[in-house]
Amino acid sequence: MLVGSKIVCVFSTFFLVSLLAAPAAVAAPTDEERALLSEMNRVRAAHGLPALRVDARLERAARAHSRDMLRRGFFAHGEFARRLSSFGARGRAVGENLGWGVGARGSAQAIVAAWLASRPHRANLLRAGFRRIGVGRLVGTFAGHGGAAVVTADFAGR
């Protein structure tokens, strides 16, 4: 029976290693995240830029950051390049846009309009080299406002 135990041990070890090595599946974008991506790509197309495509690693990083900001009640980028790297996101250049709003101010159109009105956020959104994105939009109580949408958009490319 010693041989059988070794086989079970080897199989169990292989199974655990393969689970840890495989990237976690990302949930499909929500309707609100798709609306944000659609609005960003509409703006990019109006400026002659290619559409951004969803990257699973960036998506996980963006959702995790929005979740963390909601949970801990802060609104900041922090060391986002390091955070993105910890999710396996790669690119010669990375960028991040944050936004939040309640009601109509939390809509895709309002968030993207706010980014366009801010020079650094506009630069990220309209950077030709950015081709991949992850969008995380979660709703909760933020800054004393119930039903607040908190958004992270993580970009990568060249």
Side-chain angles (χ1 to χ4, degrees):
M1 201 52 150
L2 185 57
V3 172
S5 296
K6 286 183 179 179
I7 290 172
V8 169
C9 181
V10 168
F11 176 75
S12 296
T13 301
F14 174 76
F15 181 73
L16 287 173
V17 168
S18 66
L19 280 178
L20 294 173
V26 65
T30 65
D31 289 344
E32 293 82 6
E33 289 167 345
R34 280 193 298 273
L36 278 156
L37 179 60
S38 177
E39 182 66 10
M40 286 186 277
N41 281 334
R42 184 192 67 73
V43 167
R44 286 175 63 88
H47 287 84
L49 297 169
L52 297 163
R53 61 179 165 69
V54 175
D55 177 289
R57 290 179 176 108
L58 292 169
E59 189 82 3
R60 281 193 299 278
R63 285 184 180 156
H65 192 57
S66 289
R67 186 177 309 108
D68 192 36
M69 288 190 296
L70 264 173
R71 184 178 55 80
R72 295 190 318 153
F74 75 97
F75 190 74
H77 297 281
E79 294 185 32
F80 73 88
R82 181 179 294 168
R83 178 170 25 86
L84 296 181
S85 179
S86 76
F87 280 87
R90 302 283 182 259
R92 283 194 277 164
V94 294
E96 182 172 77
N97 285 359
L98 303 178
W100 77 277
V102 178
R105 290 188 176 150
S107 71
Q109 294 79 8
I111 295 289
V112 172
W115 289 341
L116 288 170
S118 161
R119 181 170 282 155
H121 294 95
R122 180 184 183 88
N124 281 340
L125 182 58
L126 299 179
R127 183 176 179 145
F130 284 157
R131 301 293 175 94
R132 294 174 289 120
I133 193 167
V135 179
R137 181 188 185 275
L138 287 99
V139 176
T141 299
F142 189 74
H145 300 278
V150 176
V151 177
T152 302
D154 288 326
F155 302 85
R158 52 181 172 78

